[in-house]
Amino acid sequence: DAKTTQPPSMDCAEGRAANLPCNHSTISGNEYVYWYRQIHSQGPQYIIHGLKNNETNEMASLIITEDRKSSTLILPHATLRDTAVYYCIVKGGYQKVTFGIGTKLQVIP
Amino acid sequence: NAGVTQTPKFQVLKTGQSMTLQCAQDMNHEYMSWYRQDPGMGLRLIHYSVGAGITDQGEVPNGYNVSRSTTEDFPLRLLSAAPSQTSVYFCASRRTETGEQYFGPGTRLTVT
């Protein structure tokens, strides 16, 4: 897997957009960017993924730079329930997936 | 559709005991994997399987065995439990077409 780099922690005010960055400068052409989150001690939850185009679903938006070396996960209106650890993963094909430490997002009332 | 299920939810073992953590999925996913998560750390890959009859090691395989006789089930065996194996264990399965993983609720294991 390509290595990813994320800030260890971030704060966001409730109701504001949370923008979580991820660097993946060694990403290969066939590798996708995936985002997961883990709320407290629950199992990680899939959020969104993309290859090179921006993606949006009911949970979040994913913005991938043109050179694909970095991406940003956007939670448009953060709520207290979005407080979690967010993991950025880069993977292609049948590659095994490993998780780093992720970004601990704290949503503040 | 139950997704990924794990049993038991909690387990306490004595050093040297053996046990099997169960994992099952009903989504017909070929790829399944086991992770452990220690306090304040990310998930570390123990073993994974790309299909029935095929398994391989992850980052931290020592002390654990796996087998994959069916698509649905992927049990993790602790051969001789050690206090260092105290952790939360997560099983996951992966959708082949799009690659996203679905995780079970976890098994919290304490080895005394």
Side-chain angles (χ1 to χ4, degrees):
Chain A
D1 287 357
K3 183 179 173 65
T4 63
T5 305
Q6 300 178 252
S9 64
M10 293 181 62
D11 291 339
C12 178
E14 188 177 18
R16 303 297 292 271
N19 297 283
L20 292 93
C22 179
N23 286 320
H24 30 79
S25 58
T26 59
I27 191 170
S28 298
N30 66 340
E31 290 180 321
Y32 285 73
V33 180
Y34 293 81
W35 282 85
Y36 294 82
R37 72 180 182 184
Q38 187 175 24
I39 297 173
H40 193 41
S41 55
Q42 299 175 20
Q45 175 190 24
Y46 164 77
I47 301 173
I48 197 168
H49 74 281
L51 183 63
K52 55 183 178 181
N53 297 321
N54 298 339
E55 301 288 345
T56 296
N57 63 20
E58 64 279 4
M59 291 181 68
S61 294
L62 173 60
I63 308 297
I64 303 174
T65 58
E66 192 168 343
D67 64 6
R68 302 210 322 122
K69 293 186 176 182
S70 66
S71 61
T72 301
L73 178 74
I74 301 173
L75 308 178
H77 305 287
T79 71
L80 297 179
R81 287 175 295 181
D82 292 321
T83 292
V85 177
Y86 288 77
Y87 299 98
C88 170
I89 308 294
V90 171
K91 185 193 77 64
Y94 271 100
Q95 287 176 0
K96 56 189 179 183
V97 176
T98 57
F99 285 70
I101 297 176
T103 296
K104 185 171 183 178
L105 175 69
Q106 182 72 48
V107 179
I108 303 167
Chain B
N1 206 340
V4 180
T5 58
Q6 292 184 239
T7 56
K9 284 187 169 47
F10 301 93
Q11 182 70 49
V12 179
L13 290 178
K14 295 188 188 304
T15 297
Q17 287 185 317
S18 62
M19 79 159 294
T20 299
L21 280 62
Q22 301 292 344
C23 174
Q25 53 95 6
D26 61 0
M27 297 173 282
N28 202 33
H29 292 166
E30 294 293 331
Y31 184 102
M32 296 183 72
S33 53
W34 276 101
Y35 295 86
R36 62 175 288 174
Q37 186 172 36
D38 300 316
M41 297 184 67
L43 287 84
R44 290 186 291 171
L45 183 65
I46 305 172
H47 283 286
Y48 66 99
S49 168
V50 298
I54 306 169
T55 64
D56 206 347
Q57 297 180 350
E59 302 170 271
V60 289
N62 292 339
Y64 307 94
N65 269 1
V66 292
S67 60
R68 185 94 179 272
S69 56
T70 67
T71 299
E72 294 77 18
D73 301 299
F74 191 41
L76 178 72
R77 281 183 288 277
L78 279 70
L79 308 172
S80 177
S84 60
Q85 293 179 305
T86 293
S87 190
V88 181
Y89 292 85
F90 291 102
C91 178
S93 71
R94 189 160 89 191
R95 190 175 175 209
T96 303
E97 298 85 358
T98 49
E100 71 265 28
Q101 292 200 110
Y102 298 90
F103 286 80
T107 293
R108 283 144 186 81
L109 176 67
T110 301
V111 183
T112 62

